Amino acid sequence: MKELVTAALTAAKERGQDVADVPLTAIATTAGISRSTLLRRLGGSRAALDEAVREAGVDPGGRPPVRERAIEAAALLVAERGLAGVTLDAVADRADCSLPSLHTVFEGRDGLLAAVFERHSALPGLEALAADPPERLEDTVRALHATFVAAFAHEPRIVPAVFADLLGRPDGPAARVVAANLPRTLDSLDRLLRPHVRAGRLRPLPTPVLIQLLLGPLLNHVLMRPVLEPALGAGLPSMDEIVDIFVDAYLRAVAVPAAASGSDGDAARGGP
């Protein structure tokens, strides 16, 4: 039975599934035997295999996959405790799975945190926006601001926790998570901004500078807003008003002036 358990775990890892969701045919192929031989050795039912996997310390699944349960559990723990307070033991307890299951699926704590960040960060929204970008520059800038605002406000609040850890521990897990996702993030932002540079609507600044000018004021505001709200109350603009202010400021800073391009104001902002 031990070699069948090994084959089941190997097939599950290769397919990114729980053992219970891996077809017996795939397990048999990994074990180098036929499906009929596998069933015969299991006594005609996979229940014996699932029990053997469980005895080996791995949850065979059958409920929502371990991956989904673990990501959800870890996200809630990050929101409650911050990144520093999230351990694999705590995640396994909250997700009702075993430590070996987490190591099999995520290959460690950093892999789990990266999966949490990928799901709850601005990255999914950025990639969707880059796949179908607005035509006008102003609409693109506004959509980018809205995407990042939504990521910060999204519950559970993963992005603020990641930034808190990043600022407090530059060599901590948040730095590794952000670094792992940075190429995809920069690629999406480049695909959204660079066409406007080529069209003469944005100044030909390096992409990192365009991004920092775009997001710096917004990120500073959303990180400080929880402190500002109690102090300023109704005197603090709403987030919709803040987005309008920062979009206008960005366009004034980096959009090519209408006079320089020989166009009217709308054209300078990417209009027809």
Side-chain angles (χ1 to χ4, degrees), residues 68-83 85-86 91 94-95 116 120 155-158 161:
E68 296 301 314
R69 301 202 317 271
I71 290 175
E72 181 63 23
L76 293 173
L77 288 168
V78 169
E80 293 170 7
R81 308 177 184 180
L83 264 68
V86 178
V91 174
R94 180 74 67 93
V116 171
H120 293 281
E155 294 289 348
R157 294 172 62 80
I158 302 302

Side-chain angles (χ1 to χ4, degrees), residues 125-126 129-130 132-148 188-197 201-202 214-215 243 247 250-251 269-271:
L126 278 178
L129 189 61
D132 186 22
E135 291 185 8
R136 301 177 68 243
L137 173 59
E138 182 174 0
D139 293 339
T140 299
V141 174
R142 190 174 303 280
L144 283 168
H145 278 76
T147 298
F148 278 91
S188 292
L189 288 166
D190 187 72
R191 288 163 58 195
L192 286 161
L193 296 177
R194 192 53 49 184
H196 293 289
V197 173
R201 302 183 192 111
L202 281 178
L214 174 78
L215 299 178
V243 167
V247 168
Y250 183 73
L251 293 173
R269 297 190 176 200

Side-chain angles (χ1 to χ4, degrees), residues 165-184:
D165 191 83
L166 182 63
L167 294 173
R169 297 189 296 168
D171 58 347
R176 295 191 293 272
V177 166
V178 171
N181 285 277
L182 194 58
R184 289 169 59 191

Side-chain angles (χ1 to χ4, degrees), residues 142 145 149 218 221-222 225 228-229 232-247:
R142 190 174 303 280
H145 278 76
V149 167
L218 179 68
H221 179 83
V222 294
R225 192 173 179 90
L228 297 174
E229 283 180 327
L232 299 180
L236 187 66
S238 69
M239 280 309 304
D240 286 342
E241 292 171 317
I242 288 295
V243 167
D244 288 340
I245 292 169
F246 287 155
V247 168

